[in-house]
Structure formats: structure tokens, C-alpha cells
């Protein structure tokens, strides 16, 4: 079946602009995660959605970052007033049910470049 | 605080040689443990995971890992490396408690395979 898809694959923006990154999880997966992969910081957890529960936002680096998940499926990560340090690859993952034990399936990522 | 350390940033081995990638973790209890691989331009793929039971776990592509509680380690091994194994490898820990599936990743080890 189809895996996790993300769009766009690449995004170049100017400092100060807002960007939206999209994630389509695997159909039927109730858990969805966003991570960020950057040269200086490695792979960092950003946010986690599980069904209708309140999301775990503990990894969001600032209030410029937000995410939503509509209808328990597609998720959008929004970065407002982008800064150069936001340049990174943003990875989305989904898993079927249990948050801790299920395998997380990762998408190919969106490479964000802030000029 | 929870953390994962991969002491080797870059490793080069000859094709056919054995491989061991090191991973040490810091966690209040026994965490869930994972190894992921990321090939160039690809998303992360799960190689194997440890939850409980036998401390030697088998994964895909001929990889195995051994959990050693006394050393807080979860090293990845392969008896004979193939050129296609060249990639970046990430060790990760996940929480056993709480309603979160977030993973904490190590900084990664880049594997280069010499012909």
C-alpha cells in the first residue's frame, strides 16, 4: 500500500515568510508525528497526534511553529515568520495504534531552505 | 534527561567485513529501543526494535542488535557488510510510560563501504 507522503519535497522561502508543510499518513494509522532533521541538531521530535487526544507539543521549538491534524488524517505543519535556523528536513511519520510499541513509518521529508 | 549517544559519527568498512555500530542511552528505566537506517534521499526505515524478552533481536537485511542493560547499550551488528548497506544509521529510544510515542534519536553514524 501507499506509504507516508509529504509535500512539497523541497521548499525555498525568504526569511520572514510563512510556510506550510503537508503530511498524508498511511491510511488507518491513528498516530502521526513530526520530526526535524538538521545538521546541527540531528533528529528532533516536534509534535505527536494520537486520535482525538490532545497533541503532545513538547518538541515545538517556538510559538512560530504549529501543527494541526484535520479529520484524524492529513496534518499540516506551519512555520510563521521563518528564520534561517528553521532550514532543515521536516519528517512526518505515522503508526497504527499503540504509540510506544508500534513501528513508525517515515515519509521522505520536506527540505526547507530559508534564505 | 533522556538521551542517546552514538559515539562514531563516521565508520568505513570493507565489503564483506563485519560491522558493529555503537549506541548508548540514558533513561530512567528500560526504554524501548530502535535502529533505523536512512539511505541517501530516502526516509527512515526501521531495521529492528527491542521491547522485552530475548536481548538479542534480529532485524531486516541481516542486522541484529543486542540489548545490554548493565552497559545501557544497544549495539547494531552485521556479520558481512554489503555495498548497499552504505547509509546513515540512527539509534532511538522510546518511552515505556505515558501517552507519547515520541522517539529520541542519536546523532547518527554514517557507514561507508569500501569495495
Amino acid at each position: 500500500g501507499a506509504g507516508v507522503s509529504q509535500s512539497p519535497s523541497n521548499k525555498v522561502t525568504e526569511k520572514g515568510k510563512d510556510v506550510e508543510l503537508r503530511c498524508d499518513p498511511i491510511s488507518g494509522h491513528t498516530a502521526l508525528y513530526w520530526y526535524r532533521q538538521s545538521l546541527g541538531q540531528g533528529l528532533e521530535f516536534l509534535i505527536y497526534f494520537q486520535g482525538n487526544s490532545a497533541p503532545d507539543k513538547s518538541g515545538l521549538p517556538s510559538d512560530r511553529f504549529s501543527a494541526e491534524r484535520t479529520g484524524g488524517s492529513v496534518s499540516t505543519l506551519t512555520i510563521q515568520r521563518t528564520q534561517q535556523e528553521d532550514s532543515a528536513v521536516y519528517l512526518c511519520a505515522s503508526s497504527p495504534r499503540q504509540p510506544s510499541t508500534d513501528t513508525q513509518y517515515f515519509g521522505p521529508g520536506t527540505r526547507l531552505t530559508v534564505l | 534527561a533522556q538521551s542517546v549517544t552514538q559515539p562514531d559519527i563516521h565508520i568505513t568498512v570493507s565489503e564483506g567485513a563485519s560491522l558493529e555500530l555503537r549506541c548508548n542511552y540514558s533513561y530512567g528505566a528500560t526504554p524501548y529501543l530502535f535502529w533505523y537506517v536512512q539511505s541517501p534521499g530516502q526516509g527512515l526505515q526501521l531495521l529492528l526494535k527491542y521491547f522485552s524478552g530475548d536481548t538479542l533481536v534480529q532485524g531486516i537485511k541481516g542486522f541484529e542488535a543486542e540489548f545490554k542493560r548493565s552497559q545501557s547499550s544497544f549495539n547494531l551488528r552485521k556479520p558481512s557488510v554489503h555495498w548497499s548497506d552504505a547509509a546513515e544509521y540512527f539509534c532511538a529510544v522510546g518511552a515505556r510510560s505515558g501517552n507519547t510515542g515520541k522517539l529520541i534519536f542519536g546523532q547518527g553514524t554514517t557507514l561507508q563501504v569500501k569495495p
Side-chain angles (χ1 to χ4, degrees):
Chain A
V4 177
S5 60
Q6 294 186 244
S7 60
S9 55
N10 281 284
K11 176 71 176 179
V12 180
T13 190
E14 294 179 346
K15 178 181 173 181
K17 295 284 181 67
D18 297 351
V19 295
E20 286 189 350
L21 312 179
R22 176 186 169 106
C23 172
D24 284 88
I26 293 172
S27 177
H29 282 194
T30 60
L32 186 147
Y33 315 79
W34 284 98
Y35 294 87
R36 178 170 72 173
Q37 186 174 21
S38 56
L39 282 176
Q41 301 298 323
L43 265 161
E44 304 170 277
F45 165 79
L46 296 178
I47 188 168
Y48 157 64
F49 296 91
Q50 172 64 19
N52 296 321
S53 302
D56 175 0
K57 303 180 182 180
S58 61
L60 294 178
S62 77
D63 59 8
R64 296 186 295 104
F65 288 73
S66 63
E68 62 178 20
R69 188 178 185 192
T70 53
S73 181
V74 172
S75 177
T76 302
L77 177 69
T78 301
I79 308 173
Q80 296 178 309
R81 305 181 301 281
T82 53
Q83 304 294 312
Q84 288 182 333
E85 61 262 28
D86 299 334
S87 295
V89 176
Y90 290 81
L91 296 169
C92 177
S94 69
S95 66
R97 296 172 305 277
Q98 292 296 325
S100 296
T101 58
D102 269 354
T103 297
Q104 295 184 24
Y105 296 86
F106 283 80
T110 294
R111 181 176 297 278
L112 175 66
T113 303
V114 182
L115 302 176
Chain B
Q2 302 159 13
S3 66
V4 179
T5 302
Q6 293 179 244
D8 305 305
I9 296 173
H10 193 107
I11 283 184
T12 300
V13 300
S14 297
E15 190 168 16
S18 63
L19 171 71
E20 182 169 33
L21 302 182
R22 295 183 290 165
C23 172
N24 293 95
Y25 66 88
S26 174
Y27 194 75
T30 302
Y32 296 128
L33 295 159
F34 305 82
W35 274 99
Y36 280 85
V37 61
Q38 186 177 36
S39 300
Q42 303 295 315
L44 288 157
Q45 181 183 23
L46 180 72
L47 284 175
L48 47 78
K49 57 188 177 184
Y50 171 78
F51 293 156
S52 63
D54 192 347
T55 56
L56 183 64
V57 293
Q58 303 297 319
I60 62 171
K61 304 184 180 186
F63 285 93
E64 66 178 26
E66 186 171 13
F67 168 59
K68 293 186 177 179
R69 185 191 307 274
S70 61
Q71 298 177 18
S72 297
S73 69
F74 189 56
N75 294 349
L76 182 72
R77 301 193 294 249
K78 186 169 184 178
S80 177
V81 169
H82 188 262
W83 64 267
S84 60
D85 293 325
E88 191 162 17
Y89 292 79
F90 293 92
C91 181
V93 301
R96 283 185 179 266
S97 61
N99 187 32
T100 178
K102 71 180 181 184
L103 296 178
I104 298 171
F105 286 88
Q107 291 290 82
T109 298
T110 300
L111 173 65
Q112 183 179 2
V113 180
K114 292 191 301 185

